[in-house]
mmCIF file with all atom_site columns, all heavy atoms in Angstrom:
data_model
loop_
_atom_site.group_PDB
_atom_site.id
_atom_site.type_symbol
_atom_site.label_atom_id
_atom_site.label_alt_id
_atom_site.label_comp_id
_atom_site.label_asym_id
_atom_site.label_entity_id
_atom_site.label_seq_id
_atom_site.pdbx_PDB_ins_code
_atom_site.Cartn_x
_atom_site.Cartn_y
_atom_site.Cartn_z
_atom_site.occupancy
_atom_site.B_iso_or_equiv
_atom_site.pdbx_formal_charge
_atom_site.auth_seq_id
_atom_site.auth_comp_id
_atom_site.auth_asym_id
_atom_site.auth_atom_id
_atom_site.pdbx_PDB_model_num
ATOM 1   N N   . PHE Y 1 111 ? 136.518 90.599  106.597 1.00 0.00 ? 111 PHE Y N   1
ATOM 2   C CA  . PHE Y 1 111 ? 137.255 91.855  106.608 1.00 0.00 ? 111 PHE Y CA  1
ATOM 3   C C   . PHE Y 1 111 ? 137.691 92.205  108.023 1.00 0.00 ? 111 PHE Y C   1
ATOM 4   O O   . PHE Y 1 111 ? 138.814 92.649  108.253 1.00 0.00 ? 111 PHE Y O   1
ATOM 5   C CB  . PHE Y 1 111 ? 136.377 92.969  106.027 1.00 0.00 ? 111 PHE Y CB  1
ATOM 6   C CG  . PHE Y 1 111 ? 137.030 94.319  106.018 1.00 0.00 ? 111 PHE Y CG  1
ATOM 7   C CD1 . PHE Y 1 111 ? 138.058 94.582  105.132 1.00 0.00 ? 111 PHE Y CD1 1
ATOM 8   C CD2 . PHE Y 1 111 ? 136.626 95.304  106.890 1.00 0.00 ? 111 PHE Y CD2 1
ATOM 9   C CE1 . PHE Y 1 111 ? 138.669 95.822  105.113 1.00 0.00 ? 111 PHE Y CE1 1
ATOM 10  C CE2 . PHE Y 1 111 ? 137.237 96.542  106.884 1.00 0.00 ? 111 PHE Y CE2 1
ATOM 11  C CZ  . PHE Y 1 111 ? 138.258 96.804  106.000 1.00 0.00 ? 111 PHE Y CZ  1
ATOM 12  N N   . VAL Y 1 112 ? 136.831 92.000  108.997 1.00 0.00 ? 112 VAL Y N   1
ATOM 13  C CA  . VAL Y 1 112 ? 137.139 92.358  110.383 1.00 0.00 ? 112 VAL Y CA  1
ATOM 14  C C   . VAL Y 1 112 ? 138.166 91.410  110.980 1.00 0.00 ? 112 VAL Y C   1
ATOM 15  O O   . VAL Y 1 112 ? 139.093 91.832  111.664 1.00 0.00 ? 112 VAL Y O   1
ATOM 16  C CB  . VAL Y 1 112 ? 135.845 92.363  111.231 1.00 0.00 ? 112 VAL Y CB  1
ATOM 17  C CG1 . VAL Y 1 112 ? 136.155 92.457  112.706 1.00 0.00 ? 112 VAL Y CG1 1
ATOM 18  C CG2 . VAL Y 1 112 ? 134.963 93.518  110.808 1.00 0.00 ? 112 VAL Y CG2 1
ATOM 19  N N   . TRP Y 1 113 ? 138.064 90.128  110.712 1.00 0.00 ? 113 TRP Y N   1
ATOM 20  C CA  . TRP Y 1 113 ? 138.941 89.150  111.322 1.00 0.00 ? 113 TRP Y CA  1
ATOM 21  C C   . TRP Y 1 113 ? 140.216 88.912  110.520 1.00 0.00 ? 113 TRP Y C   1
ATOM 22  O O   . TRP Y 1 113 ? 141.034 88.081  110.880 1.00 0.00 ? 113 TRP Y O   1
ATOM 23  C CB  . TRP Y 1 113 ? 138.216 87.827  111.531 1.00 0.00 ? 113 TRP Y CB  1
ATOM 24  C CG  . TRP Y 1 113 ? 137.130 87.952  112.535 1.00 0.00 ? 113 TRP Y CG  1
ATOM 25  C CD1 . TRP Y 1 113 ? 135.803 88.004  112.298 1.00 0.00 ? 113 TRP Y CD1 1
ATOM 26  C CD2 . TRP Y 1 113 ? 137.280 88.078  113.940 1.00 0.00 ? 113 TRP Y CD2 1
ATOM 27  N NE1 . TRP Y 1 113 ? 135.096 88.153  113.454 1.00 0.00 ? 113 TRP Y NE1 1
ATOM 28  C CE2 . TRP Y 1 113 ? 135.998 88.204  114.490 1.00 0.00 ? 113 TRP Y CE2 1
ATOM 29  C CE3 . TRP Y 1 113 ? 138.373 88.133  114.798 1.00 0.00 ? 113 TRP Y CE3 1
ATOM 30  C CZ2 . TRP Y 1 113 ? 135.787 88.356  115.858 1.00 0.00 ? 113 TRP Y CZ2 1
ATOM 31  C CZ3 . TRP Y 1 113 ? 138.160 88.278  116.154 1.00 0.00 ? 113 TRP Y CZ3 1
ATOM 32  C CH2 . TRP Y 1 113 ? 136.878 88.393  116.668 1.00 0.00 ? 113 TRP Y CH2 1
ATOM 33  N N   . LYS Y 1 114 ? 140.437 89.654  109.464 1.00 0.00 ? 114 LYS Y N   1
ATOM 34  C CA  . LYS Y 1 114 ? 141.624 89.495  108.637 1.00 0.00 ? 114 LYS Y CA  1
ATOM 35  C C   . LYS Y 1 114 ? 142.823 90.113  109.359 1.00 0.00 ? 114 LYS Y C   1
ATOM 36  O O   . LYS Y 1 114 ? 142.747 91.208  109.884 1.00 0.00 ? 114 LYS Y O   1
ATOM 37  C CB  . LYS Y 1 114 ? 141.393 90.212  107.310 1.00 0.00 ? 114 LYS Y CB  1
ATOM 38  C CG  . LYS Y 1 114 ? 142.418 89.945  106.275 1.00 0.00 ? 114 LYS Y CG  1
ATOM 39  C CD  . LYS Y 1 114 ? 142.038 90.733  105.032 1.00 0.00 ? 114 LYS Y CD  1
ATOM 40  C CE  . LYS Y 1 114 ? 142.628 90.139  103.815 1.00 0.00 ? 114 LYS Y CE  1
ATOM 41  N NZ  . LYS Y 1 114 ? 142.276 90.914  102.624 1.00 0.00 ? 114 LYS Y NZ  1
ATOM 42  N N   . LYS Y 1 115 ? 143.932 89.389  109.377 1.00 0.00 ? 115 LYS Y N   1
ATOM 43  C CA  . LYS Y 1 115 ? 145.134 89.902  110.026 1.00 0.00 ? 115 LYS Y CA  1
ATOM 44  C C   . LYS Y 1 115 ? 145.791 90.937  109.110 1.00 0.00 ? 115 LYS Y C   1
ATOM 45  O O   . LYS Y 1 115 ? 145.816 90.783  107.895 1.00 0.00 ? 115 LYS Y O   1
ATOM 46  C CB  . LYS Y 1 115 ? 146.107 88.765  110.291 1.00 0.00 ? 115 LYS Y CB  1
ATOM 47  C CG  . LYS Y 1 115 ? 145.592 87.782  111.314 1.00 0.00 ? 115 LYS Y CG  1
ATOM 48  C CD  . LYS Y 1 115 ? 146.609 86.707  111.567 1.00 0.00 ? 115 LYS Y CD  1
ATOM 49  C CE  . LYS Y 1 115 ? 146.081 85.753  112.596 1.00 0.00 ? 115 LYS Y CE  1
ATOM 50  N NZ  . LYS Y 1 115 ? 147.010 84.650  112.851 1.00 0.00 ? 115 LYS Y NZ  1
ATOM 51  N N   . PRO Y 1 116 ? 146.376 92.005  109.693 1.00 0.00 ? 116 PRO Y N   1
ATOM 52  C CA  . PRO Y 1 116 ? 147.045 92.995  108.854 1.00 0.00 ? 116 PRO Y CA  1
ATOM 53  C C   . PRO Y 1 116 ? 148.307 92.407  108.221 1.00 0.00 ? 116 PRO Y C   1
ATOM 54  O O   . PRO Y 1 116 ? 148.953 91.529  108.785 1.00 0.00 ? 116 PRO Y O   1
ATOM 55  C CB  . PRO Y 1 116 ? 147.384 94.132  109.826 1.00 0.00 ? 116 PRO Y CB  1
ATOM 56  C CG  . PRO Y 1 116 ? 147.336 93.527  111.181 1.00 0.00 ? 116 PRO Y CG  1
ATOM 57  C CD  . PRO Y 1 116 ? 146.389 92.359  111.097 1.00 0.00 ? 116 PRO Y CD  1
ATOM 58  N N   . ARG Y 1 117 ? 148.642 92.924  107.061 1.00 0.00 ? 117 ARG Y N   1
ATOM 59  C CA  . ARG Y 1 117 ? 149.833 92.447  106.365 1.00 0.00 ? 117 ARG Y CA  1
ATOM 60  C C   . ARG Y 1 117 ? 151.084 92.900  107.108 1.00 0.00 ? 117 ARG Y C   1
ATOM 61  O O   . ARG Y 1 117 ? 151.170 94.009  107.604 1.00 0.00 ? 117 ARG Y O   1
ATOM 62  C CB  . ARG Y 1 117 ? 149.878 93.001  104.946 1.00 0.00 ? 117 ARG Y CB  1
ATOM 63  C CG  . ARG Y 1 117 ? 148.791 92.499  104.074 1.00 0.00 ? 117 ARG Y CG  1
ATOM 64  C CD  . ARG Y 1 117 ? 148.962 93.068  102.686 1.00 0.00 ? 117 ARG Y CD  1
ATOM 65  N NE  . ARG Y 1 117 ? 147.795 92.777  101.889 1.00 0.00 ? 117 ARG Y NE  1
ATOM 66  C CZ  . ARG Y 1 117 ? 147.600 93.244  100.676 1.00 0.00 ? 117 ARG Y CZ  1
ATOM 67  N NH1 . ARG Y 1 117 ? 148.492 94.047  100.135 1.00 0.00 ? 117 ARG Y NH1 1
ATOM 68  N NH2 . ARG Y 1 117 ? 146.528 92.937  100.011 1.00 0.00 ? 117 ARG Y NH2 1
ATOM 69  N N   . GLU Y 1 118 ? 152.058 92.034  107.127 1.00 0.00 ? 118 GLU Y N   1
ATOM 70  C CA  . GLU Y 1 118 ? 153.319 92.399  107.763 1.00 0.00 ? 118 GLU Y CA  1
ATOM 71  C C   . GLU Y 1 118 ? 154.166 93.154  106.749 1.00 0.00 ? 118 GLU Y C   1
ATOM 72  O O   . GLU Y 1 118 ? 154.264 92.776  105.589 1.00 0.00 ? 118 GLU Y O   1
ATOM 73  C CB  . GLU Y 1 118 ? 154.049 91.144  108.233 1.00 0.00 ? 118 GLU Y CB  1
ATOM 74  C CG  . GLU Y 1 118 ? 153.310 90.406  109.321 1.00 0.00 ? 118 GLU Y CG  1
ATOM 75  C CD  . GLU Y 1 118 ? 154.065 89.169  109.745 1.00 0.00 ? 118 GLU Y CD  1
ATOM 76  O OE1 . GLU Y 1 118 ? 155.245 89.029  109.372 1.00 0.00 ? 118 GLU Y OE1 1
ATOM 77  O OE2 . GLU Y 1 118 ? 153.467 88.348  110.444 1.00 0.00 ? 118 GLU Y OE2 1
ATOM 78  N N   . GLN Y 1 119 ? 154.775 94.248  107.221 1.00 0.00 ? 119 GLN Y N   1
ATOM 79  C CA  . GLN Y 1 119 ? 155.609 95.044  106.323 1.00 0.00 ? 119 GLN Y CA  1
ATOM 80  C C   . GLN Y 1 119 ? 157.045 94.536  106.397 1.00 0.00 ? 119 GLN Y C   1
ATOM 81  O O   . GLN Y 1 119 ? 157.513 94.095  107.431 1.00 0.00 ? 119 GLN Y O   1
ATOM 82  C CB  . GLN Y 1 119 ? 155.564 96.514  106.735 1.00 0.00 ? 119 GLN Y CB  1
ATOM 83  C CG  . GLN Y 1 119 ? 154.191 97.126  106.509 1.00 0.00 ? 119 GLN Y CG  1
ATOM 84  C CD  . GLN Y 1 119 ? 154.212 98.594  106.901 1.00 0.00 ? 119 GLN Y CD  1
ATOM 85  O OE1 . GLN Y 1 119 ? 155.187 99.104  107.425 1.00 0.00 ? 119 GLN Y OE1 1
ATOM 86  N NE2 . GLN Y 1 119 ? 153.100 99.262  106.635 1.00 0.00 ? 119 GLN Y NE2 1
ATOM 87  N N   . LYS Y 1 120 ? 157.707 94.648  105.269 1.00 0.00 ? 120 LYS Y N   1
ATOM 88  C CA  . LYS Y 1 120 ? 159.107 94.264  105.227 1.00 0.00 ? 120 LYS Y CA  1
ATOM 89  C C   . LYS Y 1 120 ? 159.938 95.337  105.926 1.00 0.00 ? 120 LYS Y C   1
ATOM 90  O O   . LYS Y 1 120 ? 159.624 96.517  105.865 1.00 0.00 ? 120 LYS Y O   1
ATOM 91  C CB  . LYS Y 1 120 ? 159.562 94.126  103.776 1.00 0.00 ? 120 LYS Y CB  1
ATOM 92  C CG  . LYS Y 1 120 ? 158.867 92.995  103.056 1.00 0.00 ? 120 LYS Y CG  1
ATOM 93  C CD  . LYS Y 1 120 ? 159.344 92.896  101.642 1.00 0.00 ? 120 LYS Y CD  1
ATOM 94  C CE  . LYS Y 1 120 ? 158.607 91.806  100.908 1.00 0.00 ? 120 LYS Y CE  1
ATOM 95  N NZ  . LYS Y 1 120 ? 159.004 91.717  99.501  1.00 0.00 ? 120 LYS Y NZ  1
ATOM 96  N N   . PRO Y 1 121 ? 161.008 94.929  106.600 1.00 0.00 ? 121 PRO Y N   1
ATOM 97  C CA  . PRO Y 1 121 ? 161.834 95.936  107.283 1.00 0.00 ? 121 PRO Y CA  1
ATOM 98  C C   . PRO Y 1 121 ? 162.484 96.883  106.267 1.00 0.00 ? 121 PRO Y C   1
ATOM 99  O O   . PRO Y 1 121 ? 162.899 96.477  105.192 1.00 0.00 ? 121 PRO Y O   1
ATOM 100 C CB  . PRO Y 1 121 ? 162.891 95.119  108.009 1.00 0.00 ? 121 PRO Y CB  1
ATOM 101 C CG  . PRO Y 1 121 ? 162.614 93.677  107.725 1.00 0.00 ? 121 PRO Y CG  1
ATOM 102 C CD  . PRO Y 1 121 ? 161.456 93.579  106.822 1.00 0.00 ? 121 PRO Y CD  1
ATOM 103 N N   . GLY Y 1 122 ? 162.536 98.147  106.638 1.00 0.00 ? 122 GLY Y N   1
ATOM 104 C CA  . GLY Y 1 122 ? 163.168 99.141  105.794 1.00 0.00 ? 122 GLY Y CA  1
ATOM 105 C C   . GLY Y 1 122 ? 162.208 99.802  104.819 1.00 0.00 ? 122 GLY Y C   1
ATOM 106 O O   . GLY Y 1 122 ? 162.597 100.711 104.104 1.00 0.00 ? 122 GLY Y O   1
ATOM 107 N N   . THR Y 1 123 ? 160.970 99.370  104.748 1.00 0.00 ? 123 THR Y N   1
ATOM 108 C CA  . THR Y 1 123 ? 160.005 100.019 103.846 1.00 0.00 ? 123 THR Y CA  1
ATOM 109 C C   . THR Y 1 123 ? 159.014 100.776 104.686 1.00 0.00 ? 123 THR Y C   1
ATOM 110 O O   . THR Y 1 123 ? 158.619 100.360 105.777 1.00 0.00 ? 123 THR Y O   1
ATOM 111 C CB  . THR Y 1 123 ? 159.251 98.986  102.984 1.00 0.00 ? 123 THR Y CB  1
ATOM 112 O OG1 . THR Y 1 123 ? 158.561 98.100  103.836 1.00 0.00 ? 123 THR Y OG1 1
ATOM 113 C CG2 . THR Y 1 123 ? 160.209 98.233  102.092 1.00 0.00 ? 123 THR Y CG2 1
ATOM 114 N N   . SER Y 1 124 ? 158.618 101.889 104.185 1.00 0.00 ? 124 SER Y N   1
ATOM 115 C CA  . SER Y 1 124 ? 157.624 102.691 104.897 1.00 0.00 ? 124 SER Y CA  1
ATOM 116 C C   . SER Y 1 124 ? 156.302 102.610 104.142 1.00 0.00 ? 124 SER Y C   1
ATOM 117 O O   . SER Y 1 124 ? 156.282 102.463 102.917 1.00 0.00 ? 124 SER Y O   1
ATOM 118 C CB  . SER Y 1 124 ? 158.082 104.142 105.014 1.00 0.00 ? 124 SER Y CB  1
ATOM 119 O OG  . SER Y 1 124 ? 158.176 104.696 103.724 1.00 0.00 ? 124 SER Y OG  1
ATOM 120 N N   . SER Y 1 125 ? 155.268 102.735 104.859 1.00 0.00 ? 125 SER Y N   1
ATOM 121 C CA  . SER Y 1 125 ? 153.964 102.677 104.196 1.00 0.00 ? 125 SER Y CA  1
ATOM 122 C C   . SER Y 1 125 ? 153.653 104.041 103.625 1.00 0.00 ? 125 SER Y C   1
ATOM 123 O O   . SER Y 1 125 ? 153.689 105.041 104.316 1.00 0.00 ? 125 SER Y O   1
ATOM 124 C CB  . SER Y 1 125 ? 152.891 102.246 105.183 1.00 0.00 ? 125 SER Y CB  1
ATOM 125 O OG  . SER Y 1 125 ? 152.741 103.214 106.182 1.00 0.00 ? 125 SER Y OG  1
#
Side-chain angles (χ1 to χ4, degrees):
F111 179 72
V112 169
W113 294 105
K114 190 180 203 181
K115 293 182 179 178
R117 294 182 190 174
E118 295 180 13
Q119 292 181 354
K120 295 180 183 177
T123 60
S124 64
S125 65

